Structure formats: structure tokens, C-alpha cells
DNA sequence: CCAGACGTTGTT
DNA sequence: GTCTGG
DNA sequence: CCAGACGTTGTT
DNA sequence: GTCTGG
């Protein structure tokens, strides 16, 4: 799953290189980014339910970079009220059923996207308490997540709203470590695409795309506990929120024999 | 037929 | 313990 | 998903 | 818009 994420603004357009963008593409996206970055803010920690804007890549005739709200609003949504309700339920989209669900199948078929993230947050449970982890790529690379996007026309305001959802798949062994119970039957995680697969997610046939919905790039992930992400101890949307923080109760109990 | 839903997560 | 709001 | 509420009254 | 439950 993926309910909390980080996306920093710096030179996001450059990730297009990993999608196989041409020099011309990069030039165009850089230009576009110059205007987008005025409204884009650094998300050191963003909770999906606050529905903030994230930068993502799409591909119609050309590779494009756009800002979209997290929480997909299907085009058939009728009112602002309904839009808010449904966007609270479409933070993630199960990869297994992506092409069947009424909320996602149009987006899945016609407008898949790539969300470049600096990391995401997951919770570990122990003795009835939760401990947040920040999960990120080793080597400070961005993670490239598979997603779907859709534009909603708000008829009461005439406004076009771009929205997206993050596709999820079975959790890999890194997730299994964070949920450090070897008997855990199934952890979920966002669809992380390897560089070689990114362009196929954007423009291949449905059949090919479905093959990409599998756990991936385990070895390239790193993670550590961070301070609380909600409540009175929450640091807010600042760099420190993703800094390593040790919880003594999570440390290995001292061995009797060491 | 109409009305109402349309989604995800996981027991540390 | 369980539901709801974000 | 987690954090926080978990209720009633009546109209600034 | 389309499907499901009643």
C-alpha cells in the first residue's frame, strides 16, 4: 500500500531520461516544469488524504509532465461532494483488479502514468503500537511508481481536475522485513517499476502492461524508522520528517550470550 | 425496474 | 473494541 | 492506512 | 458510465 509519500521538486523533469525521452522531450518538459514548479511544493511528507498535487508523467502523443491531485476522481463523478468521497477511496488501486473496477478501468486502459517519488512511508506494528518507516531508493534515486490518472470536469465550477491513483501489488521481501513477522501472509506495496519497464507501462498493450504488475526492485530499497507522522509529535512537512529516528522498543533485545 | 455504489488495507 | 474522518 | 472518537442539546 | 442489490 502507499498512503503517505515524499516528492521533492528538484529537477523532476530529468526523470524523463529514465523513460527513454529524447533530447527534444527533455527540452520541452524542462520548459513546462519551469511553469509547473511555481505551484509545486516539496512534499517531504504528504498524507494521501489531504489530496495534494504531485508531478507525474503521462504519454498520449508525447511524453508529458503534469500536476495531479492524489485520489482519483472518475469522469462519471457527478458532484463535488461525491468527488471528495470517492477520492478518499481511490488513493491506491489494486493491480489485480485494475482493469475491472468501475473507478479505474477507464484510467487503466487510457491513461496510465508514472509517479516519481523520493520515498514513501509504511507502518510497522509491534505490541499494539505503530512505527512509521521511510522507504526510499538506495543511492538517492527516485522511485518510479506505476499509476493511473483521470481528468474530472467539475460541472459546478467548469474546472478540469487532474487526479491519480497509485497501483499496488503483492509486497516484496523488504516489506516483509518491515512487517517482521515471517508468517505474515500478504503485505502490499506500490508498483515500483524498473527503468527498463517504465516506458512499457506508459504505452504498451493491456496484456503487456498486466505482466508488469508484480513486486519489483527489492534490492534497491532502503528504509529506516522516522518520527510520528500524525498527532502532536508530527513534525510537519519539513525535511526532518524523513530523517532516521530510533525507537528503543524496536531495538533487538540484548542477547544473553553476546 | 430504480437507487445507489463505484475502494483499499491487514490481525506486531 | 470498533467505527469514522482525513 | 492511522488517529481519534466513542454523545446530546438546540440555534452565534 | 455501468453494475449490483433489492
Amino acid at each position: 500500500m502507499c498512503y503517505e509519500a515524499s516528492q521533492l521538486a528538484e529537477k523532476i523533469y530529468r526523470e524523463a531520461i529514465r523513460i527513454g525521452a529524447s533530447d527534444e522531450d527533455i527540452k520541452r518538459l524542462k520548459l513546462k516544469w519551469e511553469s509547473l514548479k511555481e505551484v509545486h511544493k516539496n512534499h517531504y511528507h504528504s498524507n494521501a488524504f489531504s489530496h495534494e498535487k504531485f508531478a507525474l508523467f503521462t504519454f498520449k502523443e508525447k511524453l508529458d509532465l503534469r500536476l495531479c491531485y492524489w485520489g482519483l476522481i472518475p469522469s462519471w463523478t457527478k458532484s463535488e461532494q461525491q468527488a471528495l468521497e470517492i477520492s478518499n477511496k481511490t488513493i491506491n488501486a489494486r493491480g489485480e483488479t485494475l482493469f475491472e473496477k468501475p473507478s479505474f478501468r477507464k484510467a487503466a486502459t487510457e491513461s496510465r502514468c508514472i509517479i516519481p517519488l523520493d520515498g514513501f512511508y509504511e507502518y510497522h506494528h509491534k505490541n499494539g503500537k505503530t512505527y512509521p518507516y521511510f522507504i526510499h531508493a538506495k543511492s538517492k534515486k527516485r522511485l518510479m511508481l506505476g499509476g493511473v490518472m483521470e481528468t474530472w470536469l467539475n460541472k459546478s465550477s467548469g474546472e478540469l481536475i487532474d487526479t491519480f491513483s497509485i497501483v499496488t501489488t503483492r509486497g516484496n521481501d523488504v516489506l516483509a522485513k518491515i512487517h517482521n513477522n515471517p508468517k505474515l501472509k500478504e503485505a502490499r506495496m506500490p508498483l515500483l517499476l524498473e527503468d527498463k519497464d517504465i516506458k512499457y507501462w506508459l504505452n504498451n498493450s493491456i496484456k503487456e502492461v498486466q505482466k508488469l504488475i508484480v513486486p519489483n526492485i527489492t534490492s534497491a530499497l532502503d528504509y529506516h524508522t522516522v518520527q510520528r507522522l500524525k498527532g502532536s509529535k508530527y513534525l510537519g512537512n519539513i525535511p526532518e520528517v524523513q530523517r532516521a529516528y530510533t525507537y528503543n522498543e524496536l531495538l533487538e533485545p540484548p542477547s544473553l550470550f553476546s
Side-chain angles (χ1 to χ4, degrees):
Chain A
M1 64 297 199
C2 187
Y3 287 90
E4 292 163 274
S6 169
Q7 183 185 62
L8 307 184
E10 190 180 346
K11 294 185 174 170
I12 284 187
Y13 69 90
R14 282 183 158 270
E15 305 296 341
I17 295 166
R18 297 164 63 186
I19 308 179
S22 66
D23 290 350
E24 194 202 316
D25 287 331
I26 303 287
K27 224 174 173 180
R28 189 182 66 251
L29 295 179
K30 182 179 182 183
L31 202 64
K32 178 150 191 187
W33 183 242
E34 292 302 317
S35 57
L36 290 185
K37 75 180 182 190
E38 304 297 319
V39 278
H40 184 279
K41 65 172 183 177
N42 282 320
H43 298 301
Y44 295 100
H45 168 261
S46 173
N47 187 304
F49 294 101
S50 41
H51 305 295
E52 292 177 271
K53 278 182 169 176
F54 282 71
L56 54 79
F57 293 101
T58 58
F59 185 87
K60 271 265 157 56
E61 289 87 35
K62 288 176 176 175
L63 191 61
D64 197 9
L65 179 59
R66 48 209 293 195
L67 293 182
C68 303
Y69 292 100
W70 191 359
L72 187 144
I73 304 172
S75 52
W76 42 256
T77 303
K78 291 169 186 72
S79 65
E80 287 178 352
Q81 149 103 31
Q82 192 185 16
L84 180 62
E85 281 171 10
I86 200 147
S87 68
N88 280 333
K89 297 174 176 174
T90 53
I91 305 299
N92 291 165
R94 276 185 79 89
E96 293 88 335
T97 53
L98 189 61
F99 293 92
E100 296 149 29
K101 294 288 181 184
S103 293
F104 298 125
R105 62 189 164 200
K106 183 165 184 274
T109 312
E110 298 172 11
S111 49
R112 294 177 300 279
C113 64
I114 298 286
I115 307 111
L117 289 187
D118 292 83
F120 62 97
Y121 299 85
E122 292 286 359
Y123 291 86
H124 172 76
H125 293 250
K126 188 169 181 177
N127 299 331
K129 291 185 175 171
T130 63
Y131 300 90
Y133 277 74
F134 181 57
I135 301 168
H136 55 100
K138 284 178 180 169
S139 77
K140 283 209 163 181
K141 270 173 72 172
R142 282 196 174 93
L143 296 170
M144 300 292 258
L145 279 69
V148 293
M149 74 143 305
E150 187 148 344
T151 302
W152 176 60
L153 171 63
N154 181 344
K155 285 191 179 126
S156 61
S157 70
E159 202 183 352
L160 287 168
I161 315 275
D162 288 338
T163 64
F164 75 96
S165 181
I166 290 176
V167 174
T168 65
T169 181
R170 269 192 354 268
N172 66 20
D173 58 344
V174 169
L175 268 292
K177 277 184 202 165
I178 290 173
H179 301 272
N180 59 346
N181 177 2
K183 283 164 70 183
L184 248 191
K185 48 175 189 236
E186 174 160 275
R188 306 286 299 175
M189 69 171 203
L191 174 57
L192 303 171
L193 295 167
E194 297 186 56
D195 284 8
K196 68 177 173 58
D197 292 330
I198 296 171
K199 61 174 177 286
Y200 299 118
W201 176 259
L202 287 178
N203 62 23
N204 258 25
S205 70
I206 291 171
K207 212 164 192 170
E208 297 297 311
V209 161
Q210 273 173 324
K211 289 184 199 159
L212 297 177
I213 305 177
V214 289
N216 242 333
I217 65 171
T218 297
S219 57
L221 292 179
D222 221 335
Y223 54 91
H224 57 255
T225 45
V226 296
Q227 281 193 256
R228 308 228 53 94
L229 299 174
K230 275 191 172 189
S232 55
K233 288 181 190 155
Y234 177 45
L235 296 173
N237 184 34
I238 57 173
E240 289 72 26
V241 77
Q242 50 186 238
R243 204 161 285 167
Y245 177 83
T246 304
Y247 293 90
N248 289 327
E249 58 269 42
L250 285 184
L251 298 175
E252 290 294 319
S255 162
L256 288 173
F257 305 107
S258 70

